[in-house]
Amino acid sequence: MKIVIVGGVAGGMSAATRLRRLMEDAEIVVLEKGPFVSFANCGLPYYVSGEIAERDALLVQTPASLNARFNLDVRPFHEVTKISPEKKTVTVKNEQGIFEETYDKLILSPGAKPLIPQMTGLTKAKNVFSLRNVPDLDQIMHALENKPVKATVIGAGFIGLEMAENLKTRGLEVTVIEKAPHVLPPLDEEMAAFVQNELIKKDIRVITGESAQSFSEEGKKIKLTNGEEVISDLTILSVGVRPENTLAEQAGLATGLGGGILVDEKYQTSQSDIFAVGDAIVVKQSISGEDALISLASPANRQGRQVADVIAGLPRTNRGSIGTAIVRVFDLAAAATGLSERTVKQLGLNYQVVHVSGKDHASYYPGASELTLKLIFDPKKGTIFGAQGVGANGVDKRIDILATAIKGDLTIFDLPELEFTYAPPFGSAKDSVNMLGYAAINLAEGISESIQWYQLKEEQQKRQLLDVRNPKELANGRFPDAINIPLNQLRERISELDPTQDYLVSCHSGLRSYIAERLLKQHGFNVKNLDGAFALYKTVRPEELIYE
Amino acid sequence: MKIVIVGGVAGGMSAATRLRRLMEDAEIVVLEKGPFVSFANCGLPYYVSGEIAERDALLVQTPASLNARFNLDVRPFHEVTKISPEKKTVTVKNEQGIFEETYDKLILSPGAKPLIPQMTGLTKAKNVFSLRNVPDLDQIMHALENKPVKATVIGAGFIGLEMAENLKTRGLEVTVIEKAPHVLPPLDEEMAAFVQNELIKKDIRVITGESAQSFSEEGKKIKLTNGEEVISDLTILSVGVRPENTLAEQAGLATGLGGGILVDEKYQTSQSDIFAVGDAIVVKQSISGEDALISLASPANRQGRQVADVIAGLPRTNRGSIGTAIVRVFDLAAAATGLSERTVKQLGLNYQVVHVSGKDHASYYPGASELTLKLIFDPKKGTIFGAQGVGANGVDKRIDILATAIKGDLTIFDLPELEFTYAPPFGSAKDSVNMLGYAAINLAEGISESIQWYQLKEEQQKRQLLDVRNPKELANGRFPDAINIPLNQLRERISELDPTQDYLVSCHSGLRSYIAERLLKQHGFNVKNLDGAFALYKTVRPEELIYE
């Protein structure tokens, strides 16, 4: 059997090596239009700052090493320009010319290509780059040799923020421009606010809610939608990707959402003997059941291996993806799995949200750092729709645990049951993930009622806000129109409250306010808890607080 | 309602505070025989070295703080000496004398007590200590003021090893004596071997397979079962714990395994209105379904909260425990969840084992460190029985993920589906947990066949061992009676192998040998893979290898 694979990075190369382990006699040809196969695309931004010092470290495998070990015919600089499904051939262009290659099975793993918005002057701009592969990186490194001073990153998604950090670490003045109302659009606003604050703290200029409209002076000047002009010596365009579907469309393969290639559970396209994997295909978001485009390394690698299994006759199906991602932004990590609150709301699902803040390990052991987790769940069935986390340490662990819980169909009622490794350097007897479960169950069972930060102003029309922090904590900022009774005095001072008044309680992080809520509820008060409390509100809306 | 709680640490105090949040009007009395409640027992060893510098950091709550916030009547130095179930009273001894306290509901959370083996001379020994609470710690700190030089830790379990490390960090010469054939008996031998090697590397003397038989010279001399005498200025006895069941037995409560208090799913003992939680109770090991004693902070805290819910009328049941634990031993962490291979074998379950070694994050990103994971699973159904891990970083994360997978009834077939946070500083596109799944599925589906390290000698009687490392790697040691063909030459040199001979393949860590196994299998050879390969074998049986 002769198997031709188009694209030699994550999905394609996983397919090729697995195929060899299953089909020693097959002829396996990998056609890659670029100069490199199997490179570490997720590592590219870190080479910009020198954090990854050796360019060779990014080149995980070479055609020679893949041939020696796996007897693969790996051909860089080979661009497939056409598929002829009826003849079962692909047309290939290389330095020598154009030729045809036959196949028995064809696997497409072309990946995604950067989204390039329509912007006046972009074609004349000489300092605007995308970053998807090693040649892109080489271009950026070359441009950096001219010692640019001001850099602009357009698009504050995962890669955009990695580029912003690495350019800043290299010593450039960095401006980030994001069209959405906040950086990191895959996260919800209040969680992204932690990242936004960290960027500002690290002296990065952040412009949100605006986009770049036009370039002038060969790209040196970027005009924004609000009329402002940003001077930029080096610009990274990172506003997203879309499926590389040129070949697929030309071959008449069915495509769907955003032009993604449609495949069945066995990765087969609308043409038999043509399979597709990776960023280019439409997948099922397994929580919502909706079609989705998920450009992540982990699903691409899995799909590549699975399509090899399918071709070799093993029982494998694509069970969909939930989408789990993380980004380090200076001293902070931010991660998400599953659906965001915004998506859940758009889907019209019945949901509730809870935020928990805690430490990454036992607070009495040195070096504990703050961690904030958000859980979006169905309060009736307990289904977990998604989770997000921010913090200096341990965010990856908690989101990985929650991603596993989602895959295992665990509900909020199971989260307290999870038994984690606990010794002081590693965790807490009640981990933040357990606490998320306890807090969500309290909401589901009506033991606690909460409002979200964005509901505060509206709720304050109807309810008196009671801040149960200690008076000296108010120096860090306080809510307008709040009264203050420290939690530890609340029982004895309860007569100061008006039984005919509805209340809303807050403290610093939400733990004391929940205790106050329970106390007041049991004394007959109509009371709700401000989820995430003062700390979360200050993160996302610092300008609305009073500082004295 | 008046609720009396015996024991004011993990389970007891979790029950008390949750009860108050649910039952504002209840009278809640916590009787603690020791001087402190709610202290950080897992932090105690770290105070010995000064890593936790402030003794106050260990005292999480005080009776005053608990009273102010939760209106709890917390009484240290109050020892309950008797329960009278028919009268619904407890007899309490404090400094002033003896009195009776009535209860409507009684919660027992007495914890576990150190196992003190019968050893000649122990009662006369003046330098032998256990470590379960703050007074124990104070005694040890007092003994350390006399500048002991030689310390001995008897029992190399989790706490024993933490004490060994912290005493060493403090500058003492430390000997560890373990009766079992290896340190960390909850782990299997080859995984514990990583820890044993780390202890030796850090200049700790490790004696296994021997126990302390007698003490002489007021404890200065410890005689071992092999006749050896160990000189010890300070000795920590840490050979395990057993349920503190004195009160329960005296009250006629039913007890079971190891004297643990028997409770139903609602934590009720054999006497109505008497409940019990924490280290003192018998729980169901939820994987094996067997009775178990699990002395860990996480289940104790959960049980305390759940018993409060039960008393308050909320729907809560004890769903059992799987047992997840971790220990840091100098630069290494070692963790386990679920059942060990030894236990699975004892239970007569059909199982297979796979080891995977990888990096804690992308190998091309600086600072990646080695991580070895072990999975014990049912090759038919794919059920995960247990997992163990060792490494410098990221062990807690992987074992927490696997603990979550076990709780979610995920099988080996689900592990590749797990989508983890991946950016170079945090993980890999194919995480070691995914790889465990891939490797286990290969075994389950017969794509790969493996043997374990302890089967090597026997298998070598029947099979020729083929080492596919590169010749220069053999300088790190090599197997006796192995032939060497580097993997990348195997296809072209396959004629050097004898088709009538059965083979066994090994490399450094198991990845290349698996590729070699697949290659040879497809060429018609009868071949098995040495799981964990040379690196694992060298860890557990270095003396059986040849070094030139």
Side-chain angles (χ1 to χ4, degrees):
Chain A
M1 187 186 289
K2 181 173 173 185
I3 301 151
V4 173
I5 299 170
V6 181
V9 194
M13 204 47 77
S14 290
T17 52
R18 176 71 172 171
L19 276 169
R20 175 58 71 225
R21 293 195 296 272
L22 296 174
M23 301 174 78
E24 177 68 11
D25 295 332
E27 184 182 351
I28 303 171
V29 181
V30 180
L31 302 169
E32 166 58 46
K33 73 175 171 188
F36 302 105
V37 292
S38 205
F39 63 89
N41 33 11
C42 299
L44 303 177
Y46 297 91
Y47 184 67
V48 170
S49 63
E51 201 177 343
I52 294 177
E54 299 298 328
R55 185 167 170 280
D56 279 355
L58 300 168
L59 307 173
V60 182
Q61 297 281 3
T62 65
S65 71
L66 289 159
N67 183 259
R69 181 154 300 175
F70 292 104
N71 187 26
L72 298 176
D73 181 358
V74 177
R75 307 183 202 164
F77 293 118
H78 279 62
E79 183 181 359
V80 176
T81 57
K82 190 182 166 190
I83 306 169
S84 304
E86 60 297 336
K87 288 195 294 174
K88 293 180 88 166
T89 62
V90 290
T91 306
V92 189
K93 195 172 89 180
N94 69 0
E95 280 196 315
Q96 280 73 50
I98 293 174
F99 64 97
E100 292 210 334
E101 190 80 43
T102 60
Y103 65 80
D104 295 309
K105 306 280 179 193
L106 179 67
I107 300 173
L108 303 178
S109 180
K113 57 188 169 190
L115 205 63
I116 308 292
Q118 292 285 347
M119 289 185 284
T120 317
L122 181 55
T123 48
K124 285 184 193 157
K126 295 196 168 148
N127 57 353
V128 181
F129 306 94
S130 291
L131 179 59
R132 289 292 296 170
N133 51 41
V134 179
D136 291 346
L137 178 66
D138 290 341
Q139 279 190 35
I140 293 169
M141 296 311 288
H142 184 71
L144 285 167
E145 285 169 17
N146 298 328
K147 308 279 178 205
V149 176
K150 291 171 188 290
T152 308
V153 177
I154 302 176
F158 291 98
I159 297 169
L161 293 188
E162 286 177 337
M163 282 305 289
E165 173 179 346
N166 281 285
L167 287 167
K168 179 72 191 176
T169 303
R170 211 186 147 95
L172 282 80
E173 295 170 24
V174 181
T175 300
V176 171
I177 300 167
E178 171 57 52
K179 191 176 163 184
H182 57 83
V183 300
L184 268 192
L187 269 68
D188 293 313
E189 182 175 359
E190 82 284 12
M191 298 302 279
F194 287 88
V195 175
Q196 196 146 328
N197 296 345
E198 176 73 7
L199 288 165
I200 293 164
K201 192 173 141 195
K202 291 291 155 49
D203 212 23
I204 289 196
R205 187 170 174 223
V206 179
I207 301 172
T208 55
E210 303 293 340
S211 44
Q213 209 167 25
S214 62
F215 295 86
S216 58
E217 296 181 21
E218 297 190 329
K220 275 269 183 187
K221 274 192 182 169
I222 308 171
K223 194 171 179 182
L224 306 188
T225 33
N226 65 357
E228 191 189 338
E229 281 190 340
V230 174
I231 304 298
S232 182
D233 302 319
L234 176 80
T235 301
I236 305 294
L237 199 55
S238 183
V239 298
V241 294
R242 61 193 191 87
E244 175 55 86
N245 63 0
T246 321
L247 261 183
E249 293 213 315
Q250 165 274 323
L253 303 185
T255 56
L257 178 71
I261 304 172
L262 291 178
V263 294
D264 67 10
E265 279 193 339
K266 303 289 180 191
Y267 300 102
Q268 188 154 295
T269 67
S270 58
Q271 285 282 354
S272 60
D273 299 325
I274 304 183
F275 299 81
V277 295
D279 295 359
I281 68 168
V282 177
V283 296
K284 279 268 173 280
Q285 212 300 342
S286 34
I287 305 167
S288 68
E290 308 261 308
D291 282 354
L293 295 169
I294 295 182
S295 294
L296 291 168
S298 170
N301 278 285
R302 181 177 72 234
Q303 292 161 10
R305 187 181 164 114
Q306 288 184 331
V307 78
D309 285 359
V310 166
I311 290 172
L314 288 168
R316 225 61 86 208
T317 56
N318 180 7
R319 290 157 61 184
S321 295
I322 60 171
T324 305
I326 192 166
V327 62
R328 190 195 69 191
V329 181
F330 297 100
D331 300 334
L332 213 62
T337 186
L339 307 177
S340 66
E341 181 181 358
R342 193 174 51 253
T343 307
V344 168
K345 197 179 280 183
Q346 279 162 4
L347 291 169
L349 298 169
N350 178 32
Y351 78 94
Q352 274 203 290
V353 163
V354 69
H355 295 84
V356 158
S357 74
K359 300 289 184 186
D360 68 316
H361 65 243
S363 53
Y364 60 80
Y365 183 83
S369 62
E370 197 76 15
L371 180 78
T372 302
L373 297 178
K374 173 180 188 173
L375 192 77
I376 305 125
F377 63 98
D378 179 337
K380 270 249 165 79
K381 297 179 189 164
T383 313
I384 300 169
F385 292 133
Q388 297 173 23
V390 286
N393 295 300
V395 169
D396 55 331
K397 174 161 87 170
R398 273 67 182 200
I399 296 300
D400 287 354
I401 289 167
L402 288 161
T404 304
I406 290 173
K407 282 273 183 179
D409 289 327
L410 292 177
T411 71
I412 57 168
F413 302 101
D414 298 309
L415 296 184
E417 299 290 328
L418 297 179
E419 291 165 50
F420 301 122
T421 54
Y422 165 48
F426 303 104
S428 301
K430 289 181 187 170
D431 189 84
S432 294
V433 173
N434 301 131
M435 296 308 290
L436 275 181
Y438 285 128
I441 295 170
N442 279 338
L443 294 173
E445 295 185 341
I447 291 166
S448 176
E449 294 168 281
S450 69
I451 66 157
Q452 291 301 306
W453 63 273
Y454 52 77
Q455 298 169 311
L456 179 64
K457 281 187 171 177
E458 192 194 329
E459 288 285 336
Q460 271 196 287
Q461 308 293 319
K462 298 173 283 186
R463 293 173 178 274
Q464 172 61 50
L465 182 56
L466 167 65
D467 189 331
V468 298
R469 291 180 297 164
N470 296 323
K472 65 175 181 186
E473 293 177 85
L474 304 183
N476 300 324
R478 59 182 176 80
F479 294 105
D481 305 318
I483 56 173
N484 174 242
I485 301 177
L487 173 60
N488 287 5
Q489 298 171 16
L490 190 55
R491 252 183 214 92
E492 64 198 49
R493 291 175 59 185
I494 203 160
S495 60
E496 294 176 29
L497 301 181
D498 174 1
T500 67
Q501 169 75 56
D502 293 348
Y503 286 90
L504 193 58
V505 280
S506 178
C507 60
H508 179 74
S509 68
L511 183 60
R512 281 172 292 170
S513 62
Y514 155 63
I515 297 170
E517 182 204 354
R518 286 301 309 157
L519 196 169
L520 293 176
K521 270 197 161 65
Q522 297 190 79
H523 283 270
F525 286 89
N526 180 324
V527 55
K528 290 186 178 181
N529 183 20
L530 175 62
D531 186 42
F534 175 81
L536 187 66
Y537 203 88
K538 187 177 176 183
T539 301
V540 66
R541 288 287 180 271
E543 69 282 6
E544 293 179 5
L545 298 169
I546 299 166
Y547 306 90
E548 288 164 333
Chain B
M1 187 185 288
K2 180 174 173 185
I3 301 150
V4 172
I5 299 169
V6 180
V9 195
M13 204 47 76
S14 289
T17 52
R18 176 70 172 171
L19 275 168
R20 175 58 71 224
R21 293 195 296 272
L22 297 174
M23 301 174 76
E24 177 69 10
D25 295 331
E27 184 182 350
I28 304 170
V29 181
V30 180
L31 302 169
E32 166 59 46
K33 74 175 169 187
F36 303 106
V37 291
S38 205
F39 62 89
N41 33 12
C42 299
L44 302 178
Y46 297 91
Y47 185 68
V48 169
S49 63
E51 201 177 343
I52 293 177
E54 299 298 328
R55 183 169 172 277
D56 278 355
L58 300 168
L59 307 173
V60 182
Q61 298 280 2
T62 64
S65 71
L66 289 160
N67 183 259
R69 181 154 300 175
F70 292 104
N71 188 25
L72 299 175
D73 180 0
V74 178
R75 308 183 201 163
F77 293 118
H78 279 60
E79 184 180 359
V80 175
T81 56
K82 191 183 166 192
I83 305 169
S84 304
E86 62 296 336
K87 288 196 292 174
K88 294 179 87 166
T89 62
V90 290
T91 306
V92 188
K93 194 172 90 180
N94 69 1
E95 280 196 317
Q96 279 74 48
I98 292 175
F99 64 96
E100 292 211 333
E101 190 80 41
T102 60
Y103 66 80
D104 294 309
K105 305 281 179 192
L106 179 67
I107 301 173
L108 304 179
S109 180
K113 56 188 169 191
L115 206 63
I116 309 291
Q118 292 285 347
M119 289 185 283
T120 318
L122 180 55
T123 48
K124 287 185 192 156
K126 297 197 169 149
N127 56 353
V128 181
F129 306 93
S130 292
L131 179 60
R132 288 293 295 173
N133 52 39
V134 179
D136 291 346
L137 178 65
D138 290 342
Q139 279 189 34
I140 294 169
M141 297 310 289
H142 184 72
L144 284 167
E145 285 169 16
N146 298 328
K147 308 279 177 204
V149 176
K150 291 171 188 289
T152 307
V153 176
I154 301 176
F158 292 98
I159 298 169
L161 293 187
E162 286 178 337
M163 282 305 290
E165 173 179 347
N166 281 286
L167 287 166
K168 180 72 192 174
T169 303
R170 212 187 144 96
L172 281 79
E173 297 170 23
V174 180
T175 299
V176 170
I177 300 166
E178 171 57 51
K179 191 176 164 183
H182 57 83
V183 300
L184 268 191
L187 269 68
D188 292 314
E189 183 175 356
E190 83 284 13
M191 298 303 279
F194 288 88
V195 175
Q196 196 147 328
N197 295 346
E198 177 72 7
L199 289 165
I200 292 164
K201 191 172 141 196
K202 290 292 154 46
D203 213 22
I204 289 196
R205 186 170 176 223
V206 178
I207 302 172
T208 55
E210 302 293 339
S211 44
Q213 209 167 24
S214 63
F215 294 86
S216 58
E217 296 181 22
E218 298 190 330
K220 276 269 183 188
K221 274 192 181 171
I222 307 171
K223 194 170 180 183
L224 307 188
T225 33
N226 65 355
E228 191 191 337
E229 280 189 340
V230 174
I231 304 299
S232 182
D233 302 318
L234 176 80
T235 301
I236 306 294
L237 200 55
S238 182
V239 298
V241 294
R242 60 193 192 88
E244 175 54 87
N245 63 1
T246 320
L247 260 183
E249 294 214 315
Q250 165 275 323
L253 304 185
T255 56
L257 179 71
I261 303 171
L262 291 177
V263 294
D264 66 10
E265 279 192 338
K266 303 289 180 193
Y267 300 102
Q268 189 155 293
T269 66
S270 58
Q271 285 282 355
S272 60
D273 299 323
I274 304 182
F275 299 82
V277 295
D279 295 359
I281 68 169
V282 177
V283 295
K284 280 267 173 280
Q285 211 300 342
S286 33
I287 304 167
S288 68
E290 308 261 309
D291 281 353
L293 294 170
I294 295 183
S295 294
L296 291 168
S298 171
N301 277 286
R302 181 178 71 235
Q303 292 161 9
R305 187 180 164 112
Q306 288 184 332
V307 77
D309 285 359
V310 166
I311 289 172
L314 288 168
R316 225 61 87 208
T317 55
N318 181 7
R319 292 158 61 184
S321 296
I322 61 172
T324 305
I326 193 166
V327 62
R328 191 195 69 191
V329 181
F330 297 100
D331 300 334
L332 213 61
T337 186
L339 308 176
S340 65
E341 182 182 358
R342 193 177 49 254
T343 306
V344 168
K345 197 179 279 182
Q346 279 163 5
L347 291 169
L349 298 169
N350 178 31
Y351 78 94
Q352 274 203 290
V353 164
V354 68
H355 295 83
V356 158
S357 74
K359 300 289 183 186
D360 67 317
H361 65 243
S363 53
Y364 60 79
Y365 183 84
S369 63
E370 196 78 14
L371 179 78
T372 302
L373 296 178
K374 173 181 189 173
L375 191 78
I376 306 125
F377 62 97
D378 178 336
K380 270 251 164 79
K381 296 180 190 164
T383 313
I384 301 169
F385 294 133
Q388 297 173 24
V390 286
N393 295 300
V395 169
D396 54 331
K397 174 161 87 171
R398 273 65 181 202
I399 295 301
D400 286 353
I401 289 167
L402 289 161
T404 304
I406 290 174
K407 281 274 182 177
D409 289 328
L410 291 178
T411 70
I412 57 168
F413 301 101
D414 299 307
L415 295 184
E417 299 291 328
L418 298 179
E419 290 165 50
F420 302 121
T421 54
Y422 164 48
F426 303 105
S428 300
K430 288 181 187 170
D431 190 84
S432 294
V433 173
N434 301 131
M435 296 309 290
L436 275 181
Y438 285 129
I441 295 171
N442 279 337
L443 294 173
E445 295 185 340
I447 291 167
S448 175
E449 295 168 280
S450 69
I451 65 157
Q452 290 302 306
W453 63 272
Y454 52 78
Q455 298 169 311
L456 178 63
K457 282 187 170 174
E458 193 194 329
E459 288 285 337
Q460 271 196 287
Q461 308 293 320
K462 299 172 283 185
R463 293 173 178 274
Q464 172 62 50
L465 181 57
L466 167 64
D467 189 331
V468 298
R469 290 180 297 164
N470 296 323
K472 65 175 181 185
E473 293 177 85
L474 303 184
N476 300 324
R478 60 181 177 82
F479 294 105
D481 304 319
I483 56 172
N484 175 242
I485 302 178
L487 173 61
N488 288 4
Q489 298 172 15
L490 189 56
R491 254 183 212 90
E492 64 197 48
R493 291 175 60 184
I494 202 161
S495 61
E496 293 177 29
L497 300 181
D498 174 1
T500 66
Q501 168 74 57
D502 294 345
Y503 285 90
L504 193 59
V505 279
S506 177
C507 60
H508 179 73
S509 68
L511 183 60
R512 281 173 292 171
S513 62
Y514 156 63
I515 297 169
E517 182 204 355
R518 287 300 309 157
L519 196 168
L520 293 175
K521 271 197 159 66
Q522 296 189 81
H523 283 270
F525 286 88
N526 180 322
V527 56
K528 289 185 179 182
N529 183 21
L530 175 62
D531 187 41
F534 174 80
L536 187 66
Y537 204 88
K538 188 178 175 182
T539 300
V540 64
R541 288 288 181 269
E543 69 283 5
E544 293 179 5
L545 298 169
I546 298 166
Y547 306 90
E548 286 164 335

